[in-house]
Amino acid sequence: MKILKFGGKSLANGKGIHKVINIIENKVGNGESITVVLSARGRSTDQLEEILDRAVNNESYQEQLQAFKQYQVDSYGDFKVDDEFKTLDKLFEGVSLLGDYSKRIKDQVLSQGEVISAKLLTHILKEKGINANFTDSRELIKTDGKFGEAQPLDKLSKENVVKHFKKYNGTTVNIVTGFIASNTKNETTTLGRNGSNYTAALLANYLDAEELQNFTHVSGIYTANPDLVSDAKKIERLSYTEANELAYFGANILHAKTIIPLIEKNIPLRILNTFDDQNNGTLITAENSSKGIKSLSVLENVSLINLEGRGLLGRVGVDARIFKALAYKNISVSIISQGSSERGIGLVVESEKAIEAKKVLKQEFEADFYKKDVNKITVANEVAVISIIGQDLSTFHRPYNALIKNQVIPLLFNNTVSGKNVSLVVYKAQLHKALNVIHGEIFGVAKKINIAVFGHGLVGGTLIDQILKSAKDIEKRKKIDLNIFAVANSRKILLNENGVDTNWKSIVEEGDSYQIKDVIKFADAHHLENLIAIDNTASKDFTDNYSVLIENGFDLVSSNKVANTLSFDFYKELRMKLEKHQKQYLYETNVGAGLPLIDTIKLLHLSGENITRIKGVFSGSLSYLFNTFSKEKRLFSEVLGEAINKGYTEPDPREDLCGNDVGRKLLILARELGLSNEFNDVNIHNLIPENLREGAADTFLKRLKELDSVYQKIKDEQKPNHVLRYIGDLHGDLFKEKGILDVKLVSVPESSALGQVKGSDSIFEIYTESYGDQPIVIQGAGAGAAVTARGVFGDILRLTEKS
């Protein structure tokens, strides 16, 4: 025989109950021997509780009661449950008159949901010609006298069950009410919430069933709640032990007591989906499954009680006093965590018992308060417990570090005696995000990286296109899901939690105006984890947002040089903020576009290598200008005009020619070496004659020929076989507080490393004590939207590896 149990959602009006009928018909048609255990239909139990609450408060409940009755008999022809409806009328009327009710009365009220459900299904099956028998489990399952959560009397219950099924042996299907039972006085009791699972497990045990099939609205047990974690995967097999852990730690699909009767008789439990008959569900047996983390389960209706006191240091027996006091009031502790010193103890209890638990503990430790050995007892209500089933402490650092990186700070954690399960207490507001962070870290699914791109000009737009083009390949190779959830310019923003697509450019112009807080609020509302903000602007104003982004969980990647060249106080403050919030800030493209310059300098510096000088051609625009001018017999204005037309310079080329860009890059490198230079310490050779520095860009472009005589003279005065290069040079005693920073036009031998630079390439010479006069040379394309965007992309991928 197989025991089939159907939950409330499966039995709801419409598709649900029709699917249940089809499943039973098919099994009967296939000759299977089955017994069916039913919950109340739909939200019946909740509705009865709500009506009870209205009645006890002397509020009008008739309309709700009538709606409940109508739902139970709707569209089922001559189906009648007048006796059950009369019972409810009488009970609610009494509660309303008295203004009170006992747990005994509540059990009588709630039992009607299961009775009506089982009678309806029996009625429908009989109409279809199936020999079905309504079985009231109150006649079978006998319990103690504890209303609300009664405990079965095994010997008597088993005798009743065996006797009943022997009597109805010729019946095709016994339809049994779940959840309800009766005590030895034949008074209705209930087995607690989700007790229908327990009824089914008891019947399976007493009848030596072949299998218990639990039909629900999901296709089995998942690595996490699919409603909270979209990437959750179904688990094919579990052992009883693992299932018991999941049940204890809040997996709604299981009841903590359900597993024990099955273990005793080695009866398999299969979790199936009523609405998907092609799915094999999850099979739970005595056989151990593969090792490793199985699932994340959640307890939500809990509170955290903290007992703190300096006077408890070294005091023996504090926890024993806690448990004794709480046990006296029948308050169960699901999790406890304490330091070896016992200066602070945290315990998790059911939320509805938290106030009473605090009161009990205050009474127990009244004398300790008086002596100031105990400082305070506090209750945190808005918390939840996440349990990682199968997690041991040897690898716990991975999910824990991922939580910290995403600014989810656990309030408490502990591991079981077996060392194979770890539970965390987090604020309920962070539960959704915490689950996704942990799940993404430990289950081998692609880790989602949520990216906000600010600035979608040449570099920003190219970056977005590069990410969209490469995303699938990166997910396949690196198990990283790059999701651009925000694209913004200075005025408008496009937000989509599922990520933008190739049409982003046309959509963003129709986007909404925004402030940075709107992006943060959006990320919080959609529980987005692993956040990265990309600054592809050239804006000083946008750097004012860096701090608030860091404080709200964003790592930063920037092609914008401004933040690293503002005052040294701002520079230090930003680093302190990053360290405090454990965030990263990468900006490789600030100096060498796509060249690995800053990473190389950081590595050398951190390894203890003493860097004594850095010099090179820092600007791709000026590299092209002077490489071409030095090599070819052409006027300076002609070469400059060509560079402008090719887009190598800014629209107003004075922004390149003034040398400030090179100066900022040089300053960034100085600060990477720990120097405290300010921008006004940089000695910059401005390439623009003073009489051309002011005025509109159009006017300057018309006067380019005035530059010819100046630069032709410089070119002619060079030594033979020399060429012009505009360089940045960091030198001096770099062990002091500040270095010497020069930006200047120089003449170098054509055969030198600087002299051999071609096109718009950049080149950097890094001199160190170990390498002496032979510098480390880094050379390559130093400008261009594609190159810079690729460099930003590289920083993003480096961040994903660090996270």
Side-chain angles (χ1 to χ4, degrees):
M1 175 185 287
K2 292 180 181 178
I3 307 296
L4 278 59
K5 183 266 174 180
F6 292 95
K9 290 184 179 179
S10 297
L11 294 160
N13 280 350
K15 181 181 179 182
I17 195 163
H18 292 304
K19 289 291 291 184
V20 171
I21 297 297
N22 288 339
I23 291 169
I24 295 172
E25 282 186 300
N26 289 336
K27 288 185 178 293
V28 170
N30 291 332
E32 294 186 50
S33 175
I34 60 172
T35 290
V36 178
V37 177
L38 302 181
S39 297
R41 299 198 304 117
R43 291 188 64 254
S44 294
T45 302
D46 290 334
Q47 289 171 330
L48 289 171
E49 281 200 83
E50 290 165 6
I51 297 169
L52 197 56
D53 288 340
R54 294 187 71 86
V56 78
N57 291 313
N58 200 26
E59 298 174 5
S60 174
Y61 62 85
Q62 292 297 336
E63 186 176 338
Q64 275 184 277
L65 179 56
Q66 186 58 38
F68 170 84
K69 292 178 179 179
Q70 185 63 39
Y71 183 88
Q72 302 303 319
V73 299
D74 188 43
S75 302
Y76 300 114
D78 57 351
F79 173 64
K80 303 291 183 186
V81 278
D82 293 342
D83 290 343
E84 285 69 29
F85 287 166
K86 285 177 183 178
T87 299
L88 287 173
D89 289 338
K90 183 178 178 181
L91 290 169
F92 288 136
E93 183 179 0
V95 170
S96 182
L97 289 170
L98 290 173
D100 195 10
Y101 64 84
S102 63
K103 288 185 177 180
R104 175 175 168 273
I105 295 297
K106 183 175 182 179
D107 278 359
Q108 291 181 55
V109 169
L110 298 186
S111 69
Q112 304 308 311
E114 269 70 18
V115 172
I116 295 170
S117 179
K119 285 191 172 182
L120 173 62
L121 195 66
T122 304
H123 172 80
I124 296 173
L125 290 173
K126 284 182 174 180
E127 282 193 333
K128 289 180 172 290
I130 294 174
N131 184 11
N133 175 60
F134 166 74
T135 304
D136 191 333
S137 57
R138 288 176 294 190
E139 298 175 6
L140 306 181
I141 309 296
K142 291 296 178 179
T143 69
D144 60 17
K146 184 181 178 184
F147 298 103
E149 197 161 346
Q151 295 299 312
L153 303 175
D154 258 347
K155 184 178 180 182
L156 183 54
S157 297
K158 182 174 181 179
E159 289 175 358
N160 290 340
V161 168
V162 171
K163 183 178 179 181
H164 175 86
F165 278 83
K166 187 175 182 180
K167 178 180 178 181
Y168 290 95
N169 188 40
T171 303
T172 306
V173 184
N174 275 288
I175 308 298
V176 186
T177 56
F179 177 57
I180 63 176
S182 65
N183 60 23
T184 53
K185 296 178 182 180
N186 291 323
E187 296 172 311
T188 298
T189 59
T190 61
L191 302 178
R193 275 307 188 115
N194 295 320
S196 294
N197 291 336
Y198 196 21
T199 303
L202 291 171
L203 291 183
N205 179 293
Y206 300 154
L207 297 170
D208 294 319
E210 174 189 344
E211 184 173 277
L212 170 54
Q213 297 182 347
N214 188 342
F215 285 85
T216 71
H217 64 290
V218 293
S219 296
I221 298 174
Y222 283 74
T223 50
N225 185 340
D227 293 335
L228 298 176
V229 180
S230 60
D231 292 330
K233 293 182 176 180
K234 194 189 76 173
I235 303 170
E236 297 296 332
R237 296 181 70 94
L238 283 172
S239 68
Y240 287 135
T241 302
E242 292 162 342
N244 204 30
E245 293 283 355
L246 278 169
Y248 179 78
F249 286 111
N252 292 330
I253 204 167
L254 298 171
H255 188 286
K257 297 176 289 188
T258 300
I259 308 299
I260 297 171
L262 302 178
I263 293 174
E264 290 178 358
K265 295 289 186 71
N266 196 20
I267 299 168
L269 167 62
R270 191 181 294 275
I271 310 298
L272 293 162
N273 188 342
T274 304
F275 305 94
D276 182 6
D277 51 12
Q278 300 302 311
N279 198 300
N280 291 324
T282 298
L283 181 63
I284 302 169
T285 66
E287 184 179 335
N288 286 327
S289 57
S290 58
K291 294 182 179 180
I293 299 171
K294 291 296 181 293
S295 182
L296 308 180
S297 62
V298 175
L299 287 171
E300 289 196 67
N301 297 316
V302 295
S303 295
L304 173 62
I305 299 177
N306 285 308
L307 186 149
E308 300 175 30
R310 294 179 179 275
L312 300 179
L313 180 63
R315 183 85 64 84
V316 176
V318 174
D319 49 353
R321 290 172 62 190
I322 291 172
F323 281 113
K324 183 178 179 181
L326 293 176
Y328 182 73
K329 290 291 185 178
N330 200 32
I331 299 172
S332 176
V333 176
S334 58
I335 294 174
I336 182 168
S337 182
Q338 65 188 78
S340 58
S341 67
E342 295 190 2
R343 288 178 60 179
I345 299 175
L347 5 141
V348 175
V349 300
E350 294 178 14
S351 289
E352 62 184 23
K353 295 184 178 180
I355 294 175
E356 186 178 9
K358 181 179 179 181
K359 181 180 177 181
V360 167
L361 292 175
K362 277 193 170 183
Q363 291 172 347
E364 172 65 29
F365 289 93
E366 185 176 3
D368 302 88
F369 270 104
Y370 181 76
K371 293 185 292 185
K372 298 186 178 179
D373 287 342
V374 173
N375 302 331
K376 59 183 177 180
I377 298 175
T378 59
V379 176
N381 288 314
E382 293 300 311
V383 300
V385 177
I386 300 173
S387 295
I388 312 175
I389 309 302
Q391 173 75 70
D392 62 50
L393 291 180
S394 66
T395 57
F396 177 57
H397 63 283
R398 289 177 52 210
Y400 187 82
N401 289 342
L403 287 174
I404 300 302
K405 182 186 182 307
N406 281 278
Q407 298 189 319
V408 178
I409 313 299
L411 304 173
L412 172 154
F413 81 90
N414 84 337
N415 66 309
T416 57
V417 174
S418 68
K420 296 299 181 183
N421 302 310
V422 176
S423 295
L424 304 160
V425 179
V426 299
Y427 285 115
K428 196 173 288 186
Q430 294 183 309
L431 172 62
H432 195 143
K433 183 176 183 179
L435 280 170
N436 279 276
V437 168
I438 297 172
H439 194 274
E441 186 64 37
I442 64 181
F443 279 108
V445 293
K447 185 194 310 186
K448 182 167 281 189
I449 305 296
N450 289 290
I451 300 169
V453 178
F454 298 94
H456 56 81
L458 281 175
V459 173
T462 303
L463 172 67
I464 294 168
D465 291 338
Q466 287 177 351
I467 292 175
L468 293 177
K469 184 178 180 180
S470 306
K472 287 186 178 179
D473 183 56
I474 289 172
E475 184 173 359
K476 182 179 178 181
R477 289 188 298 105
K478 300 176 72 68
K479 302 297 182 186
I480 292 169
D481 177 10
L482 298 176
N483 181 59
I484 304 175
F485 76 93
V487 177
N489 54 34
S490 59
R491 299 172 295 103
K492 302 279 189 177
I493 191 165
L494 166 62
L495 292 166
N496 187 331
E497 71 271 23
N498 296 317
V500 304
D501 58 26
T502 53
N503 296 321
W504 65 268
K505 193 170 292 186
S506 59
I507 299 173
V508 75
E509 292 302 327
E510 300 171 2
D512 300 318
S513 58
Y514 75 101
Q515 294 179 322
I516 206 70
K517 65 181 181 182
D518 298 320
V519 181
I520 294 167
K521 189 181 296 184
F522 183 88
D524 286 343
H526 293 89
H527 314 288
L528 302 183
E529 74 272 27
N530 300 320
L531 298 165
I532 301 178
I534 314 294
D535 178 10
N536 285 318
T537 74
S539 167
K540 177 183 179 300
D541 291 340
F542 189 80
T543 63
D544 294 338
N545 297 314
Y546 281 17
S547 287
V548 70
L549 286 167
I550 292 166
E551 289 166 358
N552 285 279
F554 283 80
D555 288 303
L556 301 178
V557 173
S558 177
S559 62
N560 182 358
K561 308 175 193 63
V562 174
N564 284 322
T565 57
L566 294 172
S567 71
F568 191 64
D569 286 341
F570 176 86
Y571 184 89
K572 289 191 297 182
E573 183 181 339
L574 183 61
R575 267 71 189 168
M576 290 170 62
K577 184 86 67 176
L578 289 162
E579 184 176 358
K580 177 182 177 181
H581 294 279
Q582 300 187 52
K583 295 286 102 184
Q584 298 285 330
Y585 171 34
L586 300 186
Y587 42 88
E588 183 65 75
T589 56
N590 274 197
V591 180
L595 298 177
L597 176 63
I598 291 177
D599 264 4
T600 302
I601 289 171
K602 280 182 176 179
L603 184 61
L604 288 169
H605 189 57
L606 291 173
S607 67
E609 181 65 79
N610 293 323
I611 296 175
T612 57
R613 187 173 193 170
I614 302 174
K615 69 175 182 177
V617 175
F618 285 61
S619 167
S621 306
L622 298 180
S623 176
Y624 177 83
L625 179 63
F626 286 104
N627 291 346
T628 306
F629 179 62
S630 295
K631 180 181 178 182
E632 300 178 8
K633 294 182 179 180
R634 297 165 62 189
L635 296 174
F636 186 82
S637 60
E638 183 182 339
V639 178
L640 178 56
E642 183 178 81
I644 295 169
N645 293 333
K646 287 186 175 183
Y648 289 159
T649 70
E650 295 295 331
D652 185 345
R654 288 177 297 184
E655 294 182 30
D656 299 285
L657 295 170
C658 70
N660 287 345
D661 182 62
V662 176
R664 282 191 288 268
K665 292 178 179 179
L666 194 63
L667 177 61
I668 290 169
L669 297 185
R671 289 178 171 177
E672 288 301 316
L673 299 183
L675 302 174
S676 58
N677 287 89
E678 300 284 5
F679 185 69
N680 56 19
D681 293 328
V682 186
N683 306 307
I684 298 176
H685 174 190
N686 192 328
L687 297 173
I688 309 165
E690 286 191 21
N691 64 314
L692 296 177
R693 292 176 187 175
E694 302 296 332
D698 289 344
T699 304
F700 173 73
L701 293 174
K702 292 175 182 177
R703 300 175 63 185
L704 291 183
K705 288 188 175 297
E706 296 179 31
L707 299 170
D708 291 340
S709 59
V710 176
Y711 288 100
Q712 189 62 46
K713 181 181 179 184
I714 294 172
K715 179 179 178 180
D716 292 343
E717 290 177 350
Q718 292 183 102
K719 294 178 182 178
N721 301 317
H722 275 57
V723 290
L724 296 174
R725 298 290 183 261
Y726 192 71
I727 68 165
D729 190 1
L730 169 61
H731 58 106
D733 189 344
L734 303 187
F735 299 102
K736 291 185 176 180
E737 183 180 353
K738 293 187 176 184
I740 300 171
L741 287 75
D742 292 326
V743 175
K744 56 191 176 181
L745 183 64
V746 297
S747 177
V748 298
E750 191 174 2
S751 59
S752 67
L754 290 176
Q756 293 182 48
V757 176
K758 308 295 183 184
S760 60
D761 281 5
S762 293
I763 185 171
F764 304 95
E765 298 179 336
I766 306 169
Y767 293 84
T768 70
E769 283 189 354
S770 298
Y771 286 83
D773 293 335
Q774 294 297 318
I776 299 169
V777 177
I778 298 174
Q779 181 177 351
V787 170
T788 305
R790 189 60 66 182
V792 174
F793 201 167
D795 276 347
I796 294 170
L797 294 178
R798 273 190 285 275
L799 268 182
T800 65
E801 292 172 357
K802 292 181 181 181
S803 62

